[in-house]
Amino acid sequence: QVQLVESGGGLVQPGGSLGLSCAASGLRISSSAMSWYRQAPGKEREFVARITSIGSTNYADFVKGRFTISKDNAKNTVYLQMNSLKPEDTATYFCRALYGAVVYWGQGTQVIVSS
C-alpha cells in the first residue's frame, strides 16, 4: 500500500521560511517522479515543483528562486524548502508521486503566511 505523508506546515510571517517533508512508503522515490502541488482556498490545485528519479528539477515560475525541491533516496523522503514566503503562498501543499503509470497523492499539509 502506497502512502505519502506530508509534514512541516504551519503559520509563518511574510518573508519567513518553512520546510516541508513528504515521507513515502510502498514505493521507491528513487524510481518515481515526485512533485509538490498546492491548493489555495477557492482555487484549483496547481503545480509547484518536481524532481525526477534522476534528480532533475523544475519549478513553477511563481516559486523560482524562492523554493527548492530535494530528496533523500535513502530516507525515501522528498523535501520542499520555502524561503521568502508571501501571503499568496498560503495553501495546502500536497505531495504527488508518479510511480510507473500510477499517480499517488498525500493528504496535504497546510501553510499559512500571515503577519
Side-chain angles (χ1 to χ4, degrees):
Q1 182 181 358
V2 174
Q3 278 194 312
L4 302 174
V5 180
E6 301 96 334
S7 61
L11 174 64
V12 62
Q13 293 188 342
S17 298
L18 210 55
L20 306 182
S21 299
C22 170
S25 59
L27 59 77
R28 294 177 298 170
I29 66 168
S30 59
S31 301
S32 307
M34 304 297 298
S35 303
W36 287 96
Y37 282 70
R38 70 184 188 186
Q39 187 167 19
K43 295 188 177 181
E44 293 190 353
R45 194 170 296 190
E46 61 182 357
F47 168 77
V48 175
R50 175 172 59 223
I51 186 164
T52 68
S53 58
I54 61 171
S56 298
T57 60
N58 62 299
Y59 298 89
D61 286 344
F62 54 78
V63 302
K64 281 183 181 177
R66 299 190 299 126
F67 291 10
T68 302
I69 188 171
S70 62
K71 64 176 180 171
D72 186 331
N73 288 335
K75 294 183 178 179
N76 221 31
T77 299
V78 180
Y79 306 96
L80 185 68
Q81 179 62 38
M82 305 184 294
N83 299 326
S84 302
L85 282 161
K86 306 175 183 180
E88 51 263 43
D89 294 318
T90 294
T92 298
Y93 284 71
F94 297 90
C95 181
R96 175 187 185 269
L98 176 60
Y99 189 60
V102 182
V103 173
Y104 301 93
W105 290 94
Q107 292 299 307
T109 185
Q110 190 173 28
V111 172
I112 300 174
V113 184
S114 175
S115 55

